[in-house]
Amino acid sequence: MADISAAEIPRLQQTLQRLLGSPKLTVVPPARKGMSVEIAVAGEVIGTVYRDEDEGEVSYAVNLTVLEEDLPPK
């Protein structure tokens, strides 16, 4: 996995906001080099995003995390 550059973050955020239908979604750069780029909605971290480059083609993998305690009651 390759690091996501600062220039990619606004483009990635705009695309994810459009695809997921949430203008409150933000892509949060890592606090330190080598840490994960996080995805947050209204300030709450919901997952991570990773960049992959293979044979000159770049793709991004999004991993969303939903805690059971955040689900509605049964």
Side-chain angles (χ1 to χ4, degrees):
M1 295 282 175
D3 287 338
I4 297 174
S5 72
E8 290 173 289
I9 288 178
R11 294 175 51 227
L12 185 56
Q13 178 174 297
Q14 183 179 26
T15 300
L16 290 173
Q17 286 173 338
R18 180 179 50 81
L19 289 172
L20 299 175
S22 179
K24 293 181 181 180
L25 183 143
T26 56
V27 176
V28 183
R32 294 187 316 258
K33 186 167 178 68
M35 292 181 70
S36 298
V37 171
E38 296 177 327
I39 299 171
V41 175
E44 181 178 348
V45 175
I46 62 165
T48 53
V49 60
Y50 301 94
R51 181 182 191 273
D52 187 36
E53 189 169 348
D54 185 29
E55 297 182 7
E57 293 191 12
V58 176
S59 64
Y60 301 89
V62 175
N63 182 30
L64 297 179
T65 303
V66 178
L67 301 175
E68 184 176 4
E69 63 191 44
D70 292 333
L71 297 176
K74 294 180 183 179

